[in-house]
Amino acid sequence: MFNNYGQSFQEQRMQQLMEQKQMRDFMRMYTNLVARCFGDCVDDFTSSKLSEKELTCSKRCTLKNMKFNERIGQRFGEESAKLMEDQARMAQ
């Protein structure tokens, strides 16, 4: 059975499962980022606001982790492309 876009039910289900996994992965990454940066940067609990030092540390930590995750994604994409090329070459 196909939908309006020519996708079978199985393809739709697979797409849905992949989207759910991506959301879980994103939430896990976000949770780890918050825990790491909070733990590393926040140490004064006498105020409801972050100090300038804590704010600067948090921003740097967040940026560093976001760049790290972006680079990991790029490398994963590069390695996946190489693997696909190697498999295509072997199939010929």
Side-chain angles (χ1 to χ4, degrees):
M1 181 176 256
F2 292 90
N3 68 7
N4 294 339
Y5 301 107
Q7 291 180 317
S8 71
F9 177 76
Q10 289 175 335
E11 289 171 327
Q12 288 176 350
R13 182 67 181 140
M14 183 62 83
Q15 179 70 27
Q16 189 178 44
L17 290 172
M18 288 183 66
E19 288 172 3
Q20 289 172 353
K21 183 183 181 330
Q22 287 174 337
M23 181 57 80
R24 279 193 307 272
D25 290 346
F26 172 78
M27 293 305 294
R28 188 177 307 117
M29 181 188 73
Y30 179 79
T31 300
N32 290 339
L33 171 73
V34 170
R36 171 175 284 136
C37 292
F38 184 86
D40 288 351
C41 297
V42 179
D43 54 12
D44 180 10
F45 298 99
T46 61
S47 173
S48 63
K49 294 185 180 188
L50 294 174
S51 69
E52 193 62 37
K53 177 183 152 203
E54 291 171 329
L55 188 58
T56 300
C57 179
S58 296
K59 285 180 180 180
R60 279 192 193 135
C61 180
T62 301
L63 185 60
K64 183 178 180 178
N65 279 283
M66 295 297 285
K67 285 183 178 182
F68 173 77
N69 283 313
E70 181 181 343
R71 183 65 182 138
I72 294 278
Q74 287 173 344
R75 291 292 295 152
F76 180 77
E78 292 166 4
E79 292 300 317
S80 292
K82 286 179 187 176
L83 182 62
M84 296 292 278
E85 288 173 7
D86 290 347
Q87 288 177 345
R89 228 179 287 124
M90 292 176 85
Q92 293 177 352

